[in-house]
Amino acid sequence: MNDDSSVHRIAAVVRKHVSDLPPGTRLPSTRELSRAHGVGPVTVQRAVAALVSEGRIETRPGVGNFVAAPRLSRRRDVSWQAAALGPPRPGVPEQAGSGLRGVPDDTIALHSGYPLPALQAGSLVAAALSRAAKDPAASRPAPSMGIPSLRHIFAAELAGRDGCDVGADDVLVTSGGQAALVAAFRGLARPGDTVVMESPTFWGAIAAAAEAGLTVVPIAARPDGPDPDELERVLTLHRARLVYAQPTWHNPTGAAWSPAARSAVLDVLRDHGAFLVEDDWARDLTLEGRTPAPLVCGDPDGHVVHIRSLTKSMAPGIRVAALVARGPALQRIRASRWAADLYVSPVLQLAAAGVLAAPAWQRHLVRLRRELLGRRDALVAAVREHAPLAELTAVPRGGLSLWVRLPDGTDAGTVAARCLQAGLAVSAGDEWFPAEPDGPFLRLGFAAAPPDQFDRAAGILGRVLDGPQP
Ligand SMILES: Cc1ncc(COP(=O)(O)O)c(C=O)c1O
């Protein structure tokens, strides 16, 4: 009997067997079935896989195979929801930006915004998680502002490194930077208000603003920071009192504001009685030179709401960030945060505190920066050699990606789609613009793929750009 007919025979036997059993009944193991029917384990596994795809068997990895509950025979009719929901909320995309999308294993991942496991603080995180799991606080609700030890560490980090007037009472722990953005926008503005953002900027911030019902007004992102006169004009023209920016290693361009721009923007904020949400997402990701002091350190009076996330430098699974704010602004943001999710998982907070307090954390950061610098240089060289039509807008001194301009008239979305077909994932620039893009761009990340793939990646991009454009 050939292999396929053995698979069919075993599948038929098991199918008949399960039809008489209630859902949830455990089936004999692969070894038992292969012994009982005189066939090899691979044949049994293929028969089981066929029955799984028919919906008769459910496999629970590491536990076994079980009789599945019958599928609903009636097709769902959810058409009533269209009228009940009405039109979608403007500006909130249906799915997260391309950086979070999954791609097949054999695709080179230059699209992703999160570092590969090899660059994460893996063993430190594993040890801290296992210690956290044993802590009695891990199974209790956490304070809504965050666990005190973690808030102290975040405050001490700012005060120690940058001489900032920030205390633990000013710190609110959130589930990553994205949750902090939503809480800040909801806490500082009302639906219909305006938020000013550099253009291009992080797609998650654009989505968070839309989710909070805000209108985004762009101002040009410049290599040294926004033009303070332009910021002044925009705030006046749109009666805005909220600005969002990433002054250090701006994602996607990699720019860092000059000291002059930092102090000029603080002046504008004071003159206008406005807030700045300072998204300091890349504080740990300086590749060359010094990390500039955050704006919050030059602002004792609560104009700056500072967000510092650990997800990129520690591990994406440790979804923990700190939000620093002062005065009623902190109370409003806190209220909006707890209304969304009550408190952040104490297990993750304890683990984050454990990693931050470990002496090896600083060594991890040194290694991470060194590795990222090597990867940045490798990708810059690969793009220059194999994809000369992709013009590097700058060689960033921090962050995780390059921002390249494509020849005028190129459609970045089409280029990204063609690259994907050829085995390379990149992020098309359009999603990074809160209004019309000022040209065709791609973001190429150097942290989520091994550097020995960079030449091949740039080769694919080069060939796509050399080919006929639509
Ligand atoms: C600029 C910027 N801000 C915030 C975030 C959100 O980070 P988190 O993973 O902490 O939610 C990201 C993630 O890509 C980012 O690039």
Side-chain angles (χ1 to χ4, degrees):
M1 204 181 275
N2 67 31
D3 277 1
D4 281 346
S5 54
S6 301
V7 172
H8 287 310
R9 181 171 65 83
I10 304 302
V13 173
V14 179
R15 194 179 290 115
K16 180 158 184 335
H17 181 61
V18 299
S19 63
D20 299 333
L21 296 173
T25 308
R26 189 194 191 114
L27 296 176
S29 69
T30 303
R31 193 172 333 134
E32 286 162 343
L33 284 171
S34 70
R35 212 180 299 129
H37 297 284
V39 292
V42 175
T43 304
V44 172
Q45 279 158 1
R46 287 179 58 201
V48 166
L51 294 169
V52 168
S53 65
E54 285 173 21
R56 287 169 200 267
I57 288 183
E58 183 195 350
T59 56
R60 299 184 199 155
V63 185
N65 298 321
F66 296 82
V67 178
R71 281 188 190 152
L72 290 177
S73 52
R74 189 172 75 75
R75 183 179 261 173
R76 289 181 186 144
D77 179 7
V78 292
S79 56
W80 64 273
Q81 292 188 359
L85 291 169
R89 191 118 44 102
V92 184
E94 264 179 30
Q95 49 176 337
S98 56
L100 267 186
R101 288 182 203 145
V103 292
D105 280 350
D106 54 357
T107 299
I108 307 175
L110 298 196
H111 68 305
S112 170
Y114 289 96
L116 277 177
L119 296 175
Q120 297 163 18
S123 54
L124 270 176
V125 168
L129 274 170
S130 104
R131 276 196 310 276
K134 294 183 196 116
D135 191 316
S139 45
R140 292 198 289 259
S144 74
M145 289 292 282
I147 61 170
S149 59
L150 182 59
R151 295 171 69 205
H152 272 102
I153 292 175
F154 278 130
E157 190 184 58
L158 278 168
R161 200 190 293 171
D162 299 306
C164 237
D165 178 17
V166 166
D169 289 350
D170 304 321
V171 177
L172 170 71
V173 178
T174 65
S175 298
Q178 185 66 24
L181 288 177
V182 174
F185 291 157
R186 286 186 173 276
L188 298 174
R190 291 166 193 274
D193 284 356
T194 295
V195 54
V196 178
M197 290 189 184
E198 291 171 296
S199 176
T201 194
F202 171 48
W203 46 260
I206 302 171
E211 213 283 322
L214 309 187
T215 302
V216 177
V217 170
I219 56 166
R222 300 183 195 281
D224 290 336
D227 175 349
D229 294 336
E230 192 184 345
L231 180 61
E232 177 112 49
R233 267 198 310 279
V234 168
L235 287 173
T236 309
L237 186 65
H238 295 276
R239 296 165 178 241
R241 49 180 197 84
L242 182 58
V243 183
Y244 162 82
Q246 309 159 50
T248 303
W249 320 136
H250 172 262
N251 184 8
T253 64
W257 295 6
S258 66
R262 286 167 192 262
S263 92
V265 167
L266 283 176
D267 287 344
V268 174
L269 296 172
R270 284 186 206 109
D271 289 351
H272 280 261
F275 289 101
L276 169 74
V277 175
E278 176 183 42
D279 184 355
D280 204 13
W281 72 284
R283 176 123 301 262
D284 297 325
L285 307 176
T286 298
L287 310 179
E288 279 180 306
R290 279 177 56 83
T291 312
L295 267 81
V296 71
C297 293
D299 159 58
D301 299 328
H303 289 278
V304 178
V305 171
H306 173 84
I307 297 172
R308 181 257 199 277
S309 168
L310 299 174
T311 59
K312 314 275 180 181
S313 53
M314 194 176 281
I318 301 291
R319 288 207 56 72
V320 169
L323 180 148
V324 173
R326 284 77 162 244
L330 178 59
Q331 304 316 319
R332 300 246 179 136
I333 295 168
R334 170 196 181 160
S336 112
R337 201 208 63 80
W338 82 249
D341 68 351
L342 301 186
Y343 56 87
V344 176
S345 155
V347 183
L348 297 182
Q349 293 193 62
L350 288 165
V355 175
L356 290 174
W361 169 244
Q362 292 305 326
R363 290 200 293 279
H364 160 72
L365 292 181
V366 170
R367 183 185 73 95
L368 173 64
R369 293 187 187 117
R370 197 182 50 231
E371 292 277 333
L372 288 173
L373 178 62
R375 282 157 192 255
R376 180 206 68 180
D377 289 346
L379 189 57
V380 165
V383 169
R384 284 188 173 141
E385 182 174 347
H386 302 291
L389 289 176
E391 181 200 332
L392 285 165
T393 55
V395 176
R397 291 187 298 115
L400 302 171
S401 56
L402 308 180
W403 183 240
V404 298
R405 188 178 182 116
L406 305 180
D408 285 346
T410 313
D411 183 78
T414 306
V415 170
R418 288 186 180 166
C419 286
L420 192 58
Q421 275 168 5
L424 167 67
V426 296
S427 171
D430 295 15
E431 68 186 1
W432 302 83
F433 288 90
E436 289 79 2
D438 63 4
F441 292 89
L442 295 181
R443 196 192 74 148
L444 308 176
F446 45 79
D452 60 7
Q453 296 184 342
F454 289 174
D455 277 334
R456 192 152 63 87
I460 293 173
L461 176 59
R463 282 191 295 283
V464 167
L465 290 175
D466 282 340
Q469 300 299 319

